[in-house]
Amino acid sequence: DAMVIQNPRYQVTQFGKPVTLSCSQTLNHNVMYWYQQKSSQAPKLLFHYYDKDFNNEADTPDNFQSRRPNTSFCFLDIRSPGLGDTAMYLCATSREQLAGGGNEQFFGPGTRLTVL
Amino acid sequence: DQQVKQNSPSLSVQEGRISILNCDYTNSMFDYFLWYKKYPAEGPTFLISISSIKDKNEDGRFTVFLNKSAKHLSLHIVPSQPGDSAVYFCAASVGDDKIIFGKGTRLHILP
């Protein structure tokens, strides 16, 4: 089945210790997204790739970086996690937006990150 | 500043009855609206969408209504089933590849 896979599903790290979350997709979609979702909050877009073009949201902290080495894989690197970075991190993919239509995004199951 | 607002954190509905989930938005430039459903330990899954040029879209038990003048949309589920218990996110986009989510409404279907 075509899908979006995230690894690991759960990650515990210490304050300041770098962590990398991974996302892979078999949908061959050219757009990939990373969202942060804190408890009882809306998923918040951190950045997205349109093919290899990186698009950072204005309020995404510099602490958060991303890499997309190929169409299938995308990584979220948190260089020095703080306690406030404890959250669910969701990866999503979509085809480019259709003319006159929206873009349905397909989500992975998420990685729950806890910073101690 | 929340552009997409779901003011009810939770909603309980009797099985077989109609569930109505509401969503308000502030950006009149939004041209596409989506509803996502999320079960625990899973990512959100797309449910139904509507373009701003329409006022209603129906898919089986799910209907989304859009009232542009009120900047309001709603999702109707009828009849409600136990498997509909989940968190429902309203989302909106404006002509690009990004969508903005609301905080979600947790729907409980009671037996």
Side-chain angles (χ1 to χ4, degrees):
Chain A
D1 283 342
M3 55 198 312
V4 181
I5 301 162
Q6 290 189 244
N7 284 302
R9 295 292 308 275
Y10 301 90
Q11 177 75 56
V12 179
T13 191
Q14 293 202 326
F15 181 94
K17 187 174 180 183
V19 66
T20 294
L21 311 182
S22 76
C23 177
S24 63
Q25 54 132 338
T26 59
L27 298 159
N28 206 33
H29 286 167
N30 53 349
V31 192
M32 291 187 79
Y33 308 80
W34 279 105
Y35 289 87
Q36 178 193 65
Q37 186 184 15
K38 296 186 178 179
S39 181
S40 301
Q41 297 294 312
K44 178 180 177 298
L45 183 65
L46 295 172
F47 22 61
H48 74 285
Y49 279 92
Y50 192 106
D51 292 321
K52 287 230 171 208
D53 291 336
F54 177 71
N55 299 273
N56 197 29
E57 292 301 298
D59 56 353
T60 298
D62 292 339
N63 201 23
F64 290 82
Q65 304 284 315
S66 185
R67 297 168 281 138
R68 189 179 185 187
N70 54 53
T71 300
S72 300
F73 285 88
C74 195
F75 299 96
L76 170 61
D77 301 306
I78 309 176
R79 291 190 297 189
S80 182
L83 300 179
D85 297 328
T86 292
M88 175 73 82
Y89 290 87
L90 294 163
C91 174
T93 73
S94 73
R95 296 181 198 90
E96 64 186 281
Q97 187 200 22
L98 303 173
N103 62 334
E104 175 190 340
Q105 293 185 15
F106 296 79
F107 284 82
T111 294
R112 185 168 293 283
L113 175 69
T114 302
V115 182
L116 301 177
Chain B
D1 180 29
Q2 266 190 280
Q3 296 189 61
V4 178
K5 301 177 186 179
Q6 293 178 259
N7 292 319
S8 298
S10 68
L11 174 69
S12 295
V13 174
Q14 207 77 34
E15 182 179 354
R17 298 286 189 105
I18 184 170
S19 295
I20 300 176
L21 295 108
N22 292 304
C23 178
D24 297 298
Y25 61 94
T26 57
N27 188 345
S28 58
M29 300 299 291
F30 284 142
D31 58 4
Y32 205 75
F33 302 88
L34 310 95
W35 284 94
Y36 282 80
K37 177 179 180 179
K38 185 181 182 305
Y39 291 120
E42 294 183 14
T45 55
F46 171 75
L47 191 58
I48 192 170
S49 62
I50 188 167
S51 165
S52 62
I53 62 173
K54 296 186 175 181
D55 54 20
K56 178 182 174 181
N57 188 27
E58 190 172 351
D59 183 3
R61 295 186 299 113
F62 303 92
T63 303
V64 55
F65 295 92
L66 176 62
N67 182 336
K68 286 191 293 292
S69 61
K71 295 194 181 70
H72 177 84
L73 66 155
S74 61
L75 174 68
H76 292 211
I77 307 172
V78 56
S80 299
Q81 298 175 353
D84 296 330
S85 292
V87 177
Y88 289 80
F89 290 99
C90 174
S93 68
V94 55
D96 58 15
D97 292 305
K98 298 192 295 186
I99 60 177
I100 296 171
F101 286 88
K103 290 187 177 182
T105 296
R106 185 176 298 277
L107 177 64
H108 301 270
I109 303 302
L110 306 171

